[in-house]
Structure formats: C-alpha cells, structure tokens
Amino acid sequence: MPFAKPHREFERLNLNEGWERAPGYPTGAAVYQRILAADINDQAGTGSRTRLLRFEPGAFSTQPFVHRHWEEVYLIEGDLIVGNDERGQGGEAFVAPTYACRPPGIWHGPFKSERGCLLIEFHYYDESHPYSEPVA
C-alpha cells in the first residue's frame, strides 16, 4: 500500500504556531493538534497521518474514542490520564515517556491531563488488518 505523504527533510518547527482544535473533543476542551504530514482518507480507509497533540493543563475529553485506523501514541512530555469520567475524574495516570499502540476497533479514553502534555501520534490504515466492528 503506497503512501502519498509529502517528502520533508528536517524542517525546523515553531511549536508556537500552526495549532488547531483537535476534532472529537468537547467544545471548550483545550486540546490542539498540529498536522506534520498526512494523506489520510478516513472515508476510503486509506493513508496515514503524523500529528502532534497538545492538552493544556486540566483539559479532558468526556467520551471514549474508537476508529478504523491503527494508532501509535508517544507521550513526549507531561502527564496523561486514561479512563476518566465525564467530569474529568478518575482514570489511570501516565507520565512521559510512555507509548501505546492500538489496532483498529479498540475503544480507548476518555483522556485528561492535569499539568498538560505533548504527544506525537501516527495514524495509518493497513489493508492486511481489516477493520471489524469494535467490541465494548
């Protein structure tokens, strides 16, 4: 399966610009993404994406996530709580450096960060691992 992400050679990143609200998080949640490279097509189930994800201190999501692509996540700095409730309470806390790899169809989250965090995420579709409906 060929990828069509752009070819880039060690471009200096200004981490103070280029951020946008991350989709899938509640309105008002201070969770931002910065796409580094992408050719992902979620409708067709093809391609990949590399992004930075930033939680401001106290930001949290309220619902678990599930998607059709693989997801690898590396917690670069800060803390991330996994499995909080809709009020941001509870869950299991992790601190950097921490890594997760999720195949398609796996429920995960909700997420919260007490002190804020920075993650790098790799999302990709793999034809050899077909998606099946998730099991809760």
Side-chain angles (χ1 to χ4, degrees):
M1 170 175 65
F3 290 102
K5 286 171 37 174
H7 175 189
R8 296 202 167 128
E9 290 288 341
F10 292 104
E11 296 176 0
R12 184 148 177 86
L13 298 177
N14 180 343
L15 294 182
N16 295 317
E17 62 184 32
W19 296 91
E20 61 188 15
R21 287 216 177 263
Y25 290 86
T27 302
V31 181
Y32 303 93
Q33 70 176 7
R34 174 148 184 213
I35 305 298
L36 299 178
D39 71 337
I40 202 160
N41 182 329
D42 288 314
Q43 296 276 2
T46 61
S48 66
R49 169 179 46 232
T50 304
R51 75 175 180 174
L52 296 173
L53 190 67
R54 184 181 73 204
F55 280 66
E56 295 296 326
F60 64 93
S61 61
T62 58
Q63 299 294 318
F65 294 86
V66 65
H67 36 70
R68 296 172 41 214
H69 56 262
W70 281 86
E71 178 178 57
E72 294 184 67
V73 180
Y74 179 72
L75 178 58
I76 297 170
E77 62 184 35
D79 70 283
L80 186 67
I81 298 168
V82 179
N84 54 274
D85 66 19
E86 290 185 0
R87 296 182 321 262
Q89 303 299 307
E92 184 176 359
F94 299 92
V95 295
T98 306
Y99 170 79
C101 182
R102 301 181 186 104
I106 299 297
W107 289 95
H108 52 287
F111 300 104
K112 179 180 181 177
S113 183
E114 292 287 346
R115 298 183 315 271
C117 68
L118 179 65
L119 307 110
I120 187 165
E121 297 184 345
F122 306 93
H123 303 156
Y124 52 92
Y125 287 93
D126 179 359
E127 294 173 5
S128 68
H129 191 284
Y131 176 76
S132 59
E133 287 302 313
V135 177

